[in-house]
Amino acid sequence: MDTLTRDALAVLQPGFTGTTAPAWLLRRIGEGLASVGLFGRNIASPEQLAGLTAQLRAERGDVLVAIDEEGGDVTRLEVRTGSSFPGNLALGAVDDTALTRAVARELGRRLAECGVNLNWAPSADVNSDPDNPVIGVRSFGADPHLVARHTAAYVEGLQSAGVAACTKHFPGHGDTAVDSHHDMPRIDAGLTTLHERELVPFRAAVAAGTKAVMSAHILLPALDPGLPATLSPAALHGLLRAPVADGGLGFDGLIVTDGMEMRAISGTYGIERGSVLALAAGADAICVGGGLADEDTVLRLRDALVAAVRAGELPEERLADAAARVRALARWTSGEGAAEEGTAPAPEVGLTAARRALRVTAAPGHEPLTGPAYVAAFTPLANIAVGDETPWGVGAELARLLPGTETGTYGREAARPAEVLAAAGGRRIVAVVRDAHRHGWMAEALDALLAARPDTVVVEMGLNAAPPRGALHVATHGAARVCGVAAAEVIAGARD
């Protein structure tokens, strides 16, 4: 296989289906594919994952094995149980950078133990729009400087475990009202706002030594009126790569695209054309495989890149430089990026962080629950990044602490307070909501429920953007499993 074709394979980060590596993937790794992306569909247990990554490395010792493991609401490692780590918003609510560093280190340690060496995290987005449909609790918060210090701490903690951080979503996805999985978001902020808000955490990540940065499929007309950041030379080369003295961030590591099958790119440019434009703009690695996970996709993209070079649309030197950056990161993960020695596992750090992140407001006279409760889980549609297969809530843990507790799930079409009251009978009601401020149906159902039963306990497991309500209001700042455990402890009086 010639150098051009090997370089075209090297810049791809594809996914696949199944919990073992298919023959086609191993064959392409042998031909030059340097990265593989893992998702929840590929993981059944830590032991199985370790076996899978060993299978990949038997073909190529320094292959980059990437995963989208933010902790909190977005977990692939614990997709079937919920995460052992709270997400970014919970860590930002605590605002202890040493704790954030420790959480990221333990998460990284577990990933490294399974053979994963590149994590598409952390999210460095400043969640300036509380109605943002895709970021929310994935952000450390709305203050750029708080987000910056925790982004830096996260990068340092993750990379101290030998796992490369990929800080995302450059140049910032926090001020969007559209999910780029579905359409092209647009941010109309000026360059001054961009530098004073969105870019502050990314500068901190670069200063902390992040090995990779992921681009966002968002249009910022002040930066580039025609092309989204992933495809924009002004964003990637002119801003992210440009020297600090010239107003850029001076980043010299790997630039990874967000998933190219997302509609913001695939629906406008197509993944082949989009991949060519991304490489030409300055991206180094093409992430594809969240929705497309087959050999045909890899071959189509490989051939599109080769054809673009031969047609003069993509400079061969640019493709070679991108491939070299991918291989350089692979060398770091297998050599100098090895985990620091002398640090023991910290299995309880996630639960400790979740407990510290709780914000509890009790009405006068409230008493902890002592008998069986009825949990009414008001469940919105999950965004694609989070997925709908990961369990969340407080019902399972409350049932352990308060035997006889039952849970009912209520979506938009079934959120009828009368049905909740009938199902609860005489039991105390625990209403669990997720971003109630963004879902009118949820807020209305909760108001009606509280009017009928003022002793209802309210647990907000999304963005805590509404005033506290209920006899007891518990804000968890995320829906990770440990957030549910921490909330249940307080509701049942097991912890103050």
Side-chain angles (χ1 to χ4, degrees), residues 118-218:
L118 172 60
N119 191 9
W120 294 320
S123 169
D125 306 293
V126 179
N127 197 58
S128 50
D129 183 353
D131 291 331
N132 191 311
V134 68
I135 301 301
V137 298
R138 300 168 66 198
S139 167
F140 289 109
D143 181 300
H145 299 287
L146 179 147
V147 175
R149 59 181 174 264
H150 286 279
T151 295
Y154 197 105
V155 167
E156 292 163 357
L158 189 64
Q159 294 188 167
S160 72
V163 176
C166 183
T167 305
K168 61 188 183 185
H169 306 80
F170 181 84
H173 210 314
D175 192 26
T176 60
V178 172
D179 183 345
S180 52
H181 289 91
H182 302 299
D183 207 342
M184 182 77 74
R186 175 188 174 107
I187 297 178
D188 288 314
L191 289 178
T192 298
T193 299
L194 183 69
H195 280 275
E196 292 179 351
R197 187 178 65 188
E198 273 76 13
L199 295 181
V200 174
F202 288 97
R203 290 193 194 99
V206 172
T210 187
K211 292 297 176 181
V213 170
M214 178 177 282
S215 67
H217 307 328
I218 55 176

Side-chain angles (χ1 to χ4, degrees), residues 26 46 57-58 66 104 114-115 117 132 139 169 172 242 278-279 301 304 317 373 406 446:
L26 297 176
R57 291 206 167 84
C114 296
N117 55 10
N132 191 311
S139 167
H169 306 80
L279 265 292
L301 291 179
E317 297 79 9
E406 297 179 349
L446 183 58

Side-chain angles (χ1 to χ4, degrees), residues 395-423:
E397 184 64 15
L398 268 182
R400 186 184 69 82
L401 296 173
L402 303 172
T405 293
E406 297 179 349
T407 298
T409 300
Y410 302 87
R412 180 171 188 156
E413 302 305 320
R416 301 180 183 91
E419 294 183 8
V420 176
L421 294 169

Side-chain angles (χ1 to χ4, degrees), residues 3-24:
T3 299
L4 177 59
T5 304
R6 291 185 67 84
D7 284 349
L9 272 175
V11 302
L12 304 180
Q13 289 190 348
F16 61 97
T17 57
T19 53
T20 59
W24 71 261

Side-chain angles (χ1 to χ4, degrees), residues 144-389:
H145 299 287
L146 179 147
V147 175
R149 59 181 174 264
H150 286 279
T151 295
Y154 197 105
V155 167
E156 292 163 357
L158 189 64
Q159 294 188 167
S160 72
V163 176
C166 183
T167 305
K168 61 188 183 185
H169 306 80
F170 181 84
H173 210 314
D175 192 26
T176 60
V178 172
D179 183 345
S180 52
H181 289 91
H182 302 299
D183 207 342
M184 182 77 74
R186 175 188 174 107
I187 297 178
D188 288 314
L191 289 178
T192 298
T193 299
L194 183 69
H195 280 275
E196 292 179 351
R197 187 178 65 188
E198 273 76 13
L199 295 181
V200 174
F202 288 97
R203 290 193 194 99
V206 172
T210 187
K211 292 297 176 181
V213 170
M214 178 177 282
S215 67
H217 307 328
I218 55 176
L219 185 67
L220 293 97
L223 185 62
D224 188 321
L227 294 169
T230 292
L231 312 184
S232 169
L236 301 187
H237 180 74
L239 183 59
L240 184 53
R241 289 274 190 236
V244 174
D246 296 335
L249 274 67
F251 178 63
D252 194 39
L254 188 75
I255 299 177
V256 182
T257 72
D258 207 344
M260 296 300 284
E261 68 270 36
M262 294 164 64
R263 293 295 299 169
I265 298 296
S266 64
T268 304
Y269 303 92
I271 61 168
E272 294 96 335
R273 181 62 180 161
S275 296
V276 170
L277 292 174
L279 265 292
D284 304 306
I286 302 298
C287 177
V288 62
L292 299 172
D294 53 58
E295 184 176 21
D296 179 64
T297 298
V298 173
L299 297 181
R300 284 192 294 128
L301 291 179
R302 180 200 66 183
D303 293 348
L305 296 176
V306 169
V309 169
R310 290 176 174 161
E313 298 174 351
L314 174 64
E316 186 169 1
E317 297 79 9
R318 172 78 273 273
L319 179 61
D321 172 64
R325 290 180 187 275
V326 173
R327 296 174 185 130
L329 182 57
R331 288 194 298 272
W332 178 86
T333 61
S334 60
E336 64 183 89
E340 296 174 2
E341 297 181 0
T343 300
E348 293 298 310
V349 69
L351 181 55
T352 298
R355 286 166 174 163
R356 290 181 61 185
L358 294 182
R359 296 294 179 267
V360 181
T361 306
H366 167 75
E367 295 290 339
L369 278 65
T370 56
Y374 183 75
V375 178
F378 294 99
T379 305
L381 292 175
N383 68 58
I384 291 176
V386 173
D388 58 8
E389 66 268 54

Side-chain angles (χ1 to χ4, degrees), residues 31-69:
E31 292 174 355
L33 187 68
S35 307
V36 174
L38 300 181
F39 298 86
R41 64 184 179 232
N42 305 120
I43 300 168
S45 69
E47 295 76 20
Q48 168 270 324
L49 178 56
L52 170 58
T53 58
Q55 187 184 12
L56 297 172
R57 291 206 167 84
E59 197 65 43
R60 178 183 180 130
D62 65 348
V63 67
L64 285 171
V65 181
I67 198 168
D68 193 7
E69 181 59 52

